[in-house]
Amino acid sequence: MNRIARLTTIRGALAGIACALASVAALAGDGKWVQDAKTCAAPEYPRDSLAKGEQGTTGLRILVGVDGKAIDSEIETSSHSRKLDSAAQRALMECSYKAQPADSKPAQQWIKTEFVWKLN
């Protein structure tokens, strides 16, 4: 195969891959999930953490299903307190999530969120 034929074949293969990726993205649904603040209660400050003066930020990844309900979660960044992290994780798993834009139908997807623990 000469050089021009190889380049044409490579270009064709790359175009095919690009089309396949675009199709997968289209099948994944449009829009994204965002936290519905009306359905989220603030986590209760764990008594031990309060007594110890623990503060920090818990970063989470929440897997949201096609119905807008949390399916799973992972702690991505720790507040450096297991009790604070667990309380944030439990509370954010109880939240509902809404489609953005409102008329879209997002696929199941991971979203990132965080909760800041701060004493006054």
Side-chain angles (χ1 to χ4, degrees), residues 74-87:
E74 298 174 352
I75 296 172
E76 194 165 65
T77 55
S78 176
S79 65
H80 304 292
S81 165
R82 190 172 294 152
K83 290 188 185 237
L84 294 179
D85 292 344
S86 293

Side-chain angles (χ1 to χ4, degrees), residues 29-112:
D30 60 344
K32 63 181 181 177
W33 293 109
V34 294
Q35 199 171 18
D36 185 355
K38 295 177 199 168
T39 68
C40 293
E44 190 173 323
Y45 222 109
R47 286 185 188 160
D48 291 347
S49 297
L50 194 57
K52 293 177 184 176
E54 294 178 332
Q55 301 183 90
T57 301
T58 303
L60 294 162
R61 285 179 5 117
I62 309 285
L63 180 61
V64 181
V66 295
D67 60 353
K69 302 291 183 200
I71 297 171
D72 195 9
S73 64
E74 298 174 352
I75 296 172
E76 194 165 65
T77 55
S78 176
S79 65
H80 304 292
S81 165
R82 190 172 294 152
K83 290 188 185 237
L84 294 179
D85 292 344
S86 293
Q89 190 171 27
R90 278 191 309 276
L92 293 172
M93 284 293 293
E94 296 299 317
C95 296
S96 290
Y97 298 83
K98 58 186 177 181
Q100 196 70 351
D103 63 344
S104 65
K105 301 260 188 254
Q108 176 177 302
Q109 61 187 244
W110 287 96
I111 65 164
K112 292 184 180 187

